[in-house]
Amino acid sequence: MPPVVLALRRLPSPRLTGLGAGLFASAVMLALGLLDQLLLDGSPVVYGLLFLPVSALTALWVRTADLVTAPIGVPIAFAVGVVPIAGGTGGFGGQAMAVVTALAVHAGWLYGGTLVAGLIASVRKVRDMGRRHQRAAAGRTASGVGATPGEGPGGRAPAAGRRPVA
């Protein structure tokens, strides 16, 4: 196996609910925004680059039943984390305008992270649907539902002297 695949398999694989995934992404992005403001004076490029792996981890760690929430939660997390690096002044109105401006100016990072989460969630959903289809097909064959006419349960021919049940 390639070393990248081996490294990815060593990562933890928690299964977060949809709400938990959104809270995880929001908390991590807020912490990264605060650290970015503290250490790098609010560098939007660093914040955007850090948003991409957070988006990927959120989509990887959300439960299969809640996959649709990953591409919804990560843009909200981006908005939560951009508050410390927006740099607004003049009270609540000034801060709100700075956040809206930062969201508009850095929309590329926002779209990129949302795309990453959406792609990962879509691939996971397609793989899950394929696995379910294979299990259902295996279950039908084992119970005789998928047997061809003239065969008994499990795809075997009926015992000698007996007519197949239609």
Side-chain angles (χ1 to χ4, degrees):
M1 271 189 199
V4 174
V5 173
L6 293 174
L8 288 174
R9 286 190 176 188
R10 279 182 272 174
L11 286 174
S13 185
R15 289 294 170 231
L16 301 171
T17 63
L19 179 62
L23 289 173
F24 161 76
S26 296
V28 170
M29 290 313 299
L30 181 61
L32 290 174
L34 290 169
L35 282 172
D36 186 18
Q37 179 62 31
L38 182 69
L39 300 175
L40 302 170
D41 201 31
S43 170
V45 173
V46 172
Y47 180 77
L49 284 173
L50 292 173
F51 176 62
L52 298 177
V54 171
S55 298
L57 287 176
T58 302
L60 286 171
W61 288 351
V62 71
R63 294 183 319 173
T64 306
D66 296 330
L67 279 172
V68 72
T69 62
I72 295 169
V74 293
I76 296 169
F78 186 89
V80 167
V82 85
V83 172
I85 67 167
T89 58
F92 179 76
Q95 184 68 31
M97 272 317 271
V99 168
V100 170
T101 303
L103 289 173
V105 171
H106 307 300
W109 292 113
L110 179 61
Y111 293 150
T114 305
L115 180 66
V116 166
L119 286 174
I120 290 172
S122 297
V123 168
R124 285 187 58 204
K125 184 64 175 177
V126 168
R127 289 181 65 195
D128 181 58
M129 288 170 40
R131 276 190 238 119
R132 284 185 184 185
H133 180 72
Q134 286 176 346
R135 282 195 303 256
R140 284 193 307 266
T141 303
S143 66
V145 174
T148 59
E151 293 181 347
R156 296 183 306 256
R162 291 193 176 173
R163 291 183 28 194
V165 178

